Amino acid sequence: MSTDYKQMWESLGMDIKAHDELLEVLNQGYSDIYLSQKNRPEGMKYFDFVMSEVHGLRIKELVDAKKQGKKVIGSYCVFVPEELVIAADGISVGLCAGADFALEQVENYLPRNTCSLIKSAIGFKIGKVCPYLECADMVVGENTCDGKKKAYETLSEMIDNFYLMDLPQIKNEEGKKLLKNEIEKFKNKLEEITGNKITAESLKKGTEIVNNKRKALHRLQNLRQEKTVPVSGLDALLINQISFYDDPVRFTDSLNKLCDELEERIKNNISAYPEKRKRILISGCPMAVPNWKVPFVTESVNAVIVGEESCIGERGIRNLTNDNAKNISEFIDNITNRYFLIDCAVFTPNEERKKNIIEMAEKYKADGVILYGLNFCQPYTMEAFPLEKELEKRNIPAIKIETDYSQEDMGQLQTRIEAFAEMI
Amino acid sequence: MITAGIDIGSRTIAAVVVENKKIISTKLAYTGFSPVSNAQNIIKNIKADKIIATGYGRTLFEHHFKSDTVTEIKAAARGAFELFPGTRAVLDIGGQDVKALSLNDKGKVIKFEMNDRCAAGTGKFLEIMADSLGFDLETFGEKASSFAKKITISNMCTVFAESEVTSLLAKGENPEDIAMGVHESVSKRALSMIRRVTSSNQIFFSGGVAKNICIKKILENYGFEITAPEDPQAVVAYGAALTAADNLNGE
C-alpha cells in the first residue's frame, strides 16, 4: 500500500507506526500464504487487489462516502442484518478481529483465557490499527457468547458510538419475538443515525443486493462440491472474508465472473491442486482476516478444504431473505425469519447445526471434518464433543483442533492435520 | 530391497535400516541444536533404495535431503503393527509429544490423540522433574518405584509442576515420593488420552518414555496389558523404513 494513505489514516486517529508494522506482517503473510499458491484462477486477481488495498483504497472509498453523508456501520457478527444497513443507505463492514495485536495491553482489560477473536477486537482498538473501526459511525455489538457480551462492555468504554443488539439463546416463539424486537430497534437506530427513512422500496433493494451477494457465494460453494476442486480452500475463505468488507455489488459481480471461470475450469478438469487430495470440511469458529492458520496448514499437506461450516462461510450466508413483502412489517418478519435460522453455537439446544454439518459433509463429499475451535471459545469447543461422536457414528472421520492466533503450535498442528489426512 | 527410516524427534534422532522387514541396523543420536547436521551424520553411511523421514524434523529433512515424509503417527502405527501383529492401540511418549492411537485389524490408524502444544506429560516433563529432584533420567523410574508415601502432583504444566516440586521439597517431602507423584501424573494424562481413542486394554508402548519402568508399572496397575518393544525409541523410524518399502512395493 502506498504512503498516500498516511494522511487519511492520521485523520482517522490511527497509530501510523503500529499500523505500518501490522501491514508489513499482513503483506508478508499474504504473500507467503496466498501469492505462493499455484494454479490459481485468474479471477482471484480481483480479490488479491482488494486484499492489497484492504486498509487503503477501500477505506478511502468509505471516507469519501462519509463525505457524501453516508454512514458506515461496523459489526462483529453475522446476526447484524446488512439488508437494513443498505436500506438506510449505509455501508456495512466487518470489523478487524483476526490477528493478535497489543496482546500485553489487552490483558490489562480482559482475562488471559479469552478467545483470540475477542482479544483481537479489543487489541485493534487499543492499538488504533483498524481503520474500519476508526471510521465507523456506529459499532454494533451483539449478545452472542458471554466473552463477547462482557468484552463489549469494555469496548463501549473505549468508543462513543457503540450500539448493543440483544439476541435470543433458545429457538422458540419468545426467542423469535426477542429477535424481531431487536431487529426493529436496530432499524430505528439506523434511521436515526443515517437520517434516512427505511421504506419497503429501500428494503427491497437492500435485500436484493444482499441476496445477490449470498447467491454468488452459494454458486462458489456449489462449484466446490464438484469432484474437480476448482479453487483452493484458502482462496474460498479469502472470498468469504472479503464479502464482509467490500462493496457488495462490485463484490458480487467479481465473484460471479470468478464462478464463470471456475465452471470452465471444472469442464476442463483444471483443479487448484492437480494431485488427488483429501477433501476436508472445516467446521466451527469464524476465521476473520488474516486468520488463515489452519487452512494454510491443511492445504500444505495432502488435503484441500472444500467447505466452511462457519460464520465466515456457510453459516453466514446459508439462507436468503424472502423479499416477497408488501410493507415494512412484512419485511421485518422475513428478516427475522432469515436470521433466526442461523445455527450459531450460542443457541441451546442447537440440533440444526448438527444436521447442517452432516448435510454439508455429504454434499461436499468430505473425506473428513476438522472441528475447529478457538481456545476458550466455550460454545464451539463444547459442541465439538457431541459433534465428533455424531460424525463418527456416521463413519465420517473428525478431528478436534483447538488453537489461537499464535504461531507456537504450528509444528504440532501440522503433524495432527497431516496424520488426519493420512488416516482418512 | 533396502529402505531406511529416520525419525527426527525433539530429543532423539533414530535411524533404522530395513531389508525384507527385518532390521539390519539401528542408530540413535541426540537431536541437539543442529538437527540437520546430526541427521546427516547418522545417515551418511546408510545405503538405501529409499529413505523416509518422520518426526517433528521431517520437513526440515525433506528440504535438505529431498526425501519423502510420513507423520510420526502413521509411522508409529506401521512400526508397532509389524513388531506386534494384532496391535490395536499404541501409546507413544516421546520428548515433546504424547500420542495415543487406535488401529484397525489391518494396522491402519482409525483414531488418534496428540498433545496440542505444551510439554505436559511428555519425556521433557519427566526430564525437567528428574532434574529438579536431583535424579538421573535413566534411573528416575526406579527411584520413583521405591516410594513410601503417596503424593499428588496437581499441575500438568511443566513450569508450574516444577515449582510445585520445589515447594514439596521445601516442605521436607521425600524426593522418591515426589518422583512417584510425577510418574502418576504423566501416567494419568496418558491414560486419559488412551481412553479417548480406544477401549482396548492391550497397549503397545513406544517412545523414549517406554524405557521408564515406573510408567509401565503404573499403567499395568490400571489394568493395561503393556507390550514394550526392545528398543522403543526406534519404533517410529522402523515404521518409516517399512513405509518406504511399502511405497516402493506400490502399496
Side-chain angles (χ1 to χ4, degrees), chain A residues 306-355:
Chain A
V306 288
E308 299 79 21
E309 192 277 329
S310 166
C311 311
I312 299 175
E314 197 127 328
R315 179 166 22 263
I317 53 142
R318 183 174 287 125
N319 301 294
L320 298 177
T321 300
N322 182 357
D323 65 352
N324 185 12
K326 289 189 286 294
N327 50 44
I328 287 282
S329 128
E330 282 182 21
F331 259 116
I332 296 289
D333 280 333
N334 292 354
I335 292 171
T336 307
N337 289 336
R338 190 264 166 200
Y339 283 84
F340 202 56
L341 290 172
I342 297 175
D343 57 352
C344 171
V346 298
F347 282 95
T348 183
N350 194 19
E351 289 301 309
E352 293 95 322
R353 181 163 173 243
K354 201 182 282 173
K355 198 186 102 238

Side-chain angles (χ1 to χ4, degrees), chain A residues 189-209:
Chain A
K189 183 70 190 178
L190 283 170
E191 289 181 332
E192 179 198 315
I193 251 206
T194 60
N196 298 324
K197 192 93 190 124
I198 294 177
T199 63
E201 287 72 40
S202 69
L203 253 181
K204 186 140 197 132
K205 195 177 145 230
T207 304
E208 193 191 335
I209 289 172

Side-chain angles (χ1 to χ4, degrees), chain A residues 388 392 409 418 422-423, chain B residues 58 71 108-109 111 117:
Chain A
E388 185 186 31
E392 278 172 0
D409 59 346
E418 195 176 341
E422 282 172 348
M423 182 185 96
Chain B
R58 66 188 180 284
T71 64
K108 193 176 174 305
V109 181
K111 197 171 166 66
R117 65 179 76 200

Side-chain angles (χ1 to χ4, degrees), chain B residues 105-181:
Chain B
D105 55 1
K106 298 197 171 53
K108 193 176 174 305
V109 181
I110 45 177
K111 197 171 166 66
F112 68 89
E113 285 280 339
M114 181 180 151
N115 59 324
D116 50 13
R117 65 179 76 200
C118 73
T122 65
K124 190 78 204 169
F125 181 85
L126 284 172
E127 191 181 332
I128 290 172
M129 295 308 133
D131 198 41
S132 345
L133 288 163
F135 295 126
D136 282 339
L137 185 60
E138 284 66 31
T139 54
F140 194 28
E142 281 165 47
K143 294 285 180 195
S145 304
S146 67
F147 80 108
K149 177 182 162 196
K150 214 170 153 69
I151 289 179
T152 308
I153 302 288
S154 45
N155 280 299
M156 279 291 182
C157 168
T158 312
V159 181
F160 291 145
E162 198 178 6
S163 51
E164 193 175 350
V165 164
T166 311
S167 64
L168 285 167
L169 284 173
K171 264 176 34 192
E173 297 289 0
N174 205 335
E176 281 79 8
D177 298 344
I178 305 173
M180 188 59 184

Side-chain angles (χ1 to χ4, degrees), chain A residues 95-99 117 237 241 245 285-292 312 405:
Chain A
L95 298 173
C96 307
L117 189 137
L237 172 64
Q241 290 172 332
Y245 300 84
C285 287
M287 294 178 188
V289 172
N291 177 14
W292 303 305
I312 299 175
Y405 293 170

Side-chain angles (χ1 to χ4, degrees), chain A residues 21-34:
Chain A
E21 283 162 19
L22 174 76
L23 284 187
E24 201 177 310
V25 176
L26 182 69
N27 290 338
Q28 187 58 48
Y30 193 74
S31 147
D32 292 348
I33 294 175
Y34 274 90

Side-chain angles (χ1 to χ4, degrees), chain A residues 43-60:
Chain A
M44 281 311 298
K45 290 221 167 94
Y46 171 76
F47 300 96
D48 283 339
F49 176 71
V50 174
M51 200 53 216
S52 72
E53 291 288 345
V54 67
H55 280 196
L57 193 55
R58 181 64 186 139
I59 300 302
K60 188 173 179 303

